[in-house]
Amino acid sequence: MITDLAPTIWRAMTPDDLEPTIHLAGKLHTDYPEDNEIFMERLALSPEGCFVLQGPEKLEGYLLSHPWRGTLTPALNTLLHRLPAQPDRWYLHDIALTEEVRGQGCAQKAISLVEQAAQDHRLPLISLVSTRHALGFWHKQGFMAENTPAEEQAVLASYDPYAQLLSRPVHL
């Protein structure tokens, strides 16, 4: 039997998506847990940087991102309280995908959404903290390690001992 299911697409996150997004994060990021307030705050501060991957029956992923300034990034599970007044980069906080949609180009589409947000805000860089498991993926996407100040090393350690701050120019 063939069913006509809607395609899996990235769409803007709404407050109604927070509960399933938080649930998904708990399943996918057992090594990097964050409080519910982190998700709520990121959506409130930067709705233009938050998306969900809507599958035919459930959410298959999410993306959290926002404007940022400098190489001192938010530690894991830390509220921002406000965004910088004069950002110099777009910060990709998290892309998470279920196993079912990995390898289908969904992450690259999410990165394109981040790139568009950076362009819309006229920011020349995209930055992120990569955990040890994802370094190879991010390097393939053109992200390179940044020189980081000593204070950033403590932030990176909140993720794992191998975490790195990576950045790449926005393709204008």
Side-chain angles (χ1 to χ4, degrees):
M1 180 174 145
I2 297 174
T3 58
D4 290 327
L5 296 176
T8 302
I9 59 162
W10 286 102
R11 64 169 175 78
M13 184 184 286
T14 70
D16 289 341
D17 295 316
L18 284 168
E19 185 176 329
T21 297
I22 291 166
H23 177 75
L24 187 59
K27 287 174 45 180
L28 297 176
H29 288 317
T30 57
D31 292 342
Y32 307 100
E34 292 193 289
D35 295 335
N36 298 356
E37 291 77 19
I38 302 301
F39 296 87
M40 292 183 266
E41 183 194 61
R42 297 307 193 272
L43 178 59
L45 290 175
S46 184
E48 71 277 21
C50 297
F51 297 87
V52 292
L53 184 61
Q54 180 67 61
E57 299 174 5
K58 63 180 176 137
L59 292 186
E60 298 288 354
Y62 66 86
L63 160 64
L64 302 175
S65 68
H66 54 82
W68 196 244
R69 182 169 186 83
T71 57
L72 187 58
T73 59
L76 182 66
N77 199 31
T78 301
L79 292 170
L80 303 176
H81 304 293
R82 67 183 187 285
L83 295 175
Q86 296 180 328
D88 64 0
R89 63 189 66 221
W90 195 264
Y91 183 74
L92 198 167
H93 177 82
D94 193 9
I95 295 175
L97 301 171
T98 63
E99 192 67 37
E100 293 84 10
V101 298
R102 290 182 189 161
Q104 298 178 19
C106 296
Q108 287 77 15
K109 288 179 185 172
I111 294 167
S112 295
L113 293 169
V114 171
E115 183 123 351
Q116 186 61 56
Q119 287 177 4
D120 291 348
H121 285 78
R122 302 185 194 286
L123 298 174
L125 285 175
I126 299 169
S127 295
L128 57 93
V129 171
S130 176
T131 60
R132 66 180 174 263
H133 303 297
L135 283 169
F137 170 80
W138 291 116
H139 288 149
K140 288 178 187 173
Q141 307 308 313
F143 287 84
M144 303 299 293
E146 275 208 44
N147 291 328
T148 54
E151 301 95 338
E152 178 66 5
Q153 295 305 316
V155 171
L156 295 172
S158 74
Y159 289 85
D160 67 48
Y162 304 101
Q164 293 182 19
L165 175 63
L166 306 178
S167 295
R168 83 167 198 203
V170 172
H171 302 299
L172 300 173

